[in-house]
Amino acid sequence: MVHVEPAHLVELALRNTPPTDDDAEALRHVERCDRCRDALRMMTRVVTAARTAELVDLPTAPPERVWHRITQGMSRESAPPRPPPRTLGRSTKRKLLAVVALAVVAGTVARRTLKRNV
Ligand SMILES: [Zn+2]
């Protein structure tokens, strides 16, 4: 049985584009396959959580002293980088959180896939 690629499951969970014939075929497989159904369910939950996250749920910028130490350490080797912006917009934070969440999901799926294939 050929399973749905993790990247395709992520796309299905995101639902950012109109469904294609490949999506329909993948969803038919998901209906019959416990493994892919569990993976899609987990990714969908992560996407939903990321999309409904409130600003208070998101990490805050580190204290100024942390950035100062980083720039001091790097300035010994090269020119110091510019500090990050003090605040991120709501949309940027949500996108960042979604990317982090999807990276976690992709890593989990990849680990599970590797375990099953070993
Ligand atoms: Zn499958």
Side-chain angles (χ1 to χ4, degrees):
M1 175 185 295
V2 177
H3 296 285
V4 179
E5 291 291 322
H8 196 175
L9 289 171
V10 170
E11 290 174 15
L12 293 171
L14 288 170
R15 290 186 219 140
N16 284 337
T17 58
T20 64
D21 290 343
D22 286 345
D23 293 342
E25 183 178 331
L27 289 171
R28 281 193 295 274
H29 172 84
V30 167
E31 288 177 7
R32 298 185 316 265
C33 177
D34 291 341
R35 174 179 156 183
C36 291
R37 189 171 43 252
D38 289 346
L40 180 59
R41 185 178 302 132
M42 181 176 60
M43 290 178 196
T44 302
R45 286 198 330 234
V46 170
V47 168
T48 300
R51 286 181 172 158
T52 59
E54 297 294 326
L55 290 177
V56 295
D57 298 330
L58 301 174
T60 59
E64 189 63 36
R65 63 182 153 67
V66 172
W67 184 250
H68 184 71
R69 286 184 190 161
I70 292 171
T71 55
Q72 276 184 331
M74 293 187 74
S75 66
R76 291 183 199 131
E77 299 173 12
S78 63
R82 290 198 281 169
R86 294 293 299 161
T87 59
L88 299 174
R90 184 183 184 109
S91 174
T92 302
K93 283 186 176 182
R94 285 196 170 179
K95 288 177 186 171
L96 179 62
L97 182 60
V99 167
V100 170
L102 290 174
V104 169
V105 169
T108 301
V109 169
R111 273 195 308 276
R112 287 183 181 177
T113 302
L114 288 174
K115 277 186 187 176
R116 290 179 179 160
N117 292 333
V118 173

